[in-house]
Amino acid sequence: MADKYDAVILGAGAAGLLCAIEAGKRGRRVVVLERADRIGKKILISGGGRCNFTNLHCQPENFLSANPHFAKSALARYTPSDFIALVEKHRIAYHEKTLGQLFCDRSARDIVDMLEAECRAAGVKIVLNSNIQHIERKNEFVVGTPTAEFRAPVVVVATGGLSIPKLGATSLGYDIARQFGLKLQPPRPALVPFLLGPADCKQYCDLAGVSAEVNVSTDHQSFREKMLITHRGLSGPAILQVSSYWREGNPIRIDLAPDRSVAAAIQEAKVRSIAARSALQEILPKRLAARWLDIHAPRSWTNRALEELERRLHEWILLPTGTEGYEKAEVTAGGVDTGELSSKTMESRNVPGLYFIGEVVDVTGHLGGFNFQWAWASGAAAGRAL
Ligand SMILES: Cc1cc2nc3c(=O)[nH]c(=O)nc-3n(C[C@H](O)[C@H](O)[C@H](O)COP(=O)(O)OP(=O)(O)OC[C@H]3O[C@@H](n4cnc5c(N)ncnc54)[C@H](O)[C@@H]3O)c2cc1C
């Protein structure tokens, strides 16, 4: 005998749990099916274990999507203040780290415990170790796991993206979208470190661990934050941000000295090569400054060469050979095409009763708490419509 509910929610991550809470509070009988042996595994490891749960400056511009307008409605109806109110209701201590990013003082576990308590209060049933295997639509939806069947007129797909397969990411959400004829924007790893080719790696990768504040751009998008050199390429917030916009084969441009100029100081000096070294070391970590100069210093220190050095310092062009892929990507960009969904409720336009929320949808946030804010907001949008 199949259990009967008003809604079956697939995935007990950020989006699925918030959706369940909102629907449960409105008296809906909700079951959440989760493949793992615990809820919110990704929340637990997020933000270095402290969960950057939202961002005070959340704006639609902080999200990528084939339709940049789609996220606006849900984001406006469930704002960072709404989630902060929930956090404060549970007396969870938090702080702003930088750029509006809010983190737990203690541990990401506080957020998971809060969501679990809210689910309990709202009468939500959570079934762990439920690897969803199939979904069918007869009079209503039937969702099958190896041991049980769940029936409901509504299914909410909140199974996330493909990032971090070792945490249990699956393609289920995309498979369900395809099964019901919904279009997808091709999924791709985002917020992910870059790999450099052998020649560039030989020149820079032994500096692994060195970081500097830079301005990195690609495809008309630029981010001024820290960049970190790794054993295989580049990482750090500025690189992760730009990676979401990067396409295979495109170069990235790095301004190593944003808003600074070195040429004038070098020009005045008696020995320009020595002055260049100290000028760069004022701006960049010593080892990076020295290495970059070893590779880019002109043969003769003419005024023209100096101008060229300054230009290159502000426009160091590198061609990543790829990214570290889903193993290291914080999110998956692309996903269920927003043209298929109502921006108000997240319900499929052509398959009534089928909803998609969170990362599985083609809405991807910048680094800094925006991906959770989208998970909460899209989860609330669906939960309030069930
Ligand atoms: C290392 C790391 C750190 C991050 N830190 C932050 C941060 O600090 N701030 C921020 O905003 N974002 C952060 N993110 C991104 C954020 O975690 C995600 O965008 C967010 O969790 C997406 O929520 P979701 O509910 O859509 O998907 P998920 O949280 O991925 O949840 C999906 C759930 O569905 C389950 N599932 C999948 N397939 C099946 C199946 N076949 N059957 C049953 N269940 C299934 C999964 O087990 C999972 O529990 C981080 C991501 C990573 C990887």
Side-chain angles (χ1 to χ4, degrees):
M1 264 279 286
D3 288 325
K4 215 167 173 325
Y5 296 94
D6 293 321
V8 182
I9 298 176
L10 315 184
L17 292 170
L18 207 102
C19 177
I21 293 163
E22 289 293 321
K25 281 200 299 201
R26 296 172 62 251
R28 301 292 180 265
R29 284 169 303 160
V30 180
V31 63
V32 185
L33 306 182
E34 170 56 52
R35 179 175 186 257
D37 57 0
R38 63 199 302 184
I39 65 168
K41 270 194 166 176
K42 217 175 251 182
I43 301 173
L44 286 174
I45 60 153
S46 68
R50 292 242 164 96
C51 185
N52 176 195
F53 54 82
T54 193
N55 192 298
L56 292 172
H57 312 308
C58 185
Q59 294 293 330
E61 293 70 39
N62 298 116
F63 297 85
L64 295 79
S65 171
N67 175 3
H69 301 294
F70 178 82
K72 287 181 180 172
S73 167
L75 291 170
R77 283 178 299 120
Y78 192 92
T79 63
S81 311
D82 291 313
F83 195 77
I84 293 166
L86 196 58
V87 167
E88 290 181 350
K89 178 180 141 196
H90 286 258
R91 299 178 188 282
I92 297 172
Y94 66 92
H95 61 280
E96 179 182 348
K97 197 166 171 190
T98 171
L99 304 168
Q101 301 170 6
L102 300 190
F103 285 76
C104 297
D105 283 359
R106 255 173 18 137
S107 156
R109 177 172 300 279
D110 287 345
I111 299 293
V112 176
D113 290 347
M114 174 189 87
L115 294 170
E116 196 164 19
E118 287 286 321
C119 279
R120 217 177 301 121
V124 172
K125 182 170 176 183
I126 298 174
V127 186
L128 300 173
N129 301 305
S130 295
N131 191 7
I132 296 144
Q133 299 201 308
H134 63 89
I135 165 167
E136 282 171 67
R137 187 169 174 232
K138 297 177 178 163
N139 296 333
E140 51 188 359
F141 289 98
V142 182
V143 179
T145 71
T147 51
E149 271 193 352
F150 299 83
R151 287 172 185 268
V154 165
V155 162
V156 182
V157 182
T159 45
L162 299 169
S163 321
I164 323 283
K166 68 170 187 253
L167 273 189
T170 72
S171 63
L172 183 73
Y174 308 121
D175 300 339
I176 295 175
R178 280 191 207 97
Q179 178 187 340
F180 287 95
L182 277 73
K183 264 194 269 164
L184 290 176
Q185 290 293 328
R188 61 178 198 282
L191 297 181
V192 62
F194 283 135
L195 299 172
L196 291 177
D200 286 328
C201 218
K202 201 167 164 206
Q203 288 181 320
Y204 299 105
C205 290
D206 65 311
L207 301 179
V210 172
S211 75
E213 187 181 318
V214 298
N215 198 9
V216 187
S217 37
T218 191
D219 194 22
H220 307 298
Q221 292 290 331
S222 63
F223 293 90
R224 181 168 172 172
E225 282 183 68
K226 285 231 153 137
M227 173 185 83
L228 171 75
I229 299 177
T230 72
H231 292 290
R232 286 151 59 95
L234 298 172
S235 186
I239 294 293
L240 299 182
Q241 297 280 33
V242 108
S243 75
S244 299
Y245 292 89
W246 180 79
R247 296 301 158 101
E248 200 101 23
N250 285 354
I252 56 168
R253 290 179 302 282
I254 304 171
D255 182 346
L256 286 170
D259 301 335
R260 305 275 295 263
S261 147
V262 292
I266 302 171
Q267 215 157 10
E268 304 294 301
K270 273 195 186 143
V271 186
R272 288 182 168 183
S273 59
I274 295 174
R277 207 155 280 263
S278 33
L280 251 72
Q281 284 181 356
E282 265 177 39
I283 297 172
L284 294 169
K286 270 192 178 165
R287 289 172 66 208
L288 176 57
R291 181 67 53 84
W292 194 85
L293 214 51
D294 286 348
I295 293 162
H296 293 92
R299 285 216 192 111
S300 66
W301 290 85
T302 60
N303 287 351
R304 186 112 188 237
L306 209 49
E307 264 174 41
E308 175 60 14
L309 188 77
E310 177 95 59
R311 193 190 64 74
R312 281 198 182 190
L313 187 67
H314 297 292
E315 199 175 329
W316 181 27
I317 294 180
L318 284 173
L319 188 64
T321 52
T323 72
E324 295 268 7
Y326 290 118
E327 302 291 324
K328 294 274 173 69
E330 223 169 81
V331 284
T332 304
V336 176
D337 192 304
T338 57
E340 303 279 358
L341 307 175
S342 153
S343 60
K344 212 166 164 213
T345 64
M346 306 292 136
E347 186 177 16
S348 156
R349 291 185 186 285
N350 298 321
V351 188
L354 184 62
Y355 293 68
F356 289 85
I357 56 173
E359 200 177 310
V360 72
V361 178
D362 173 34
V363 173
T364 306
H366 288 171
L367 190 76
F370 301 103
N371 282 297
F372 278 134
Q373 189 55 37
W374 169 246
W376 316 132
S378 58
R384 289 167 178 175
L386 302 185

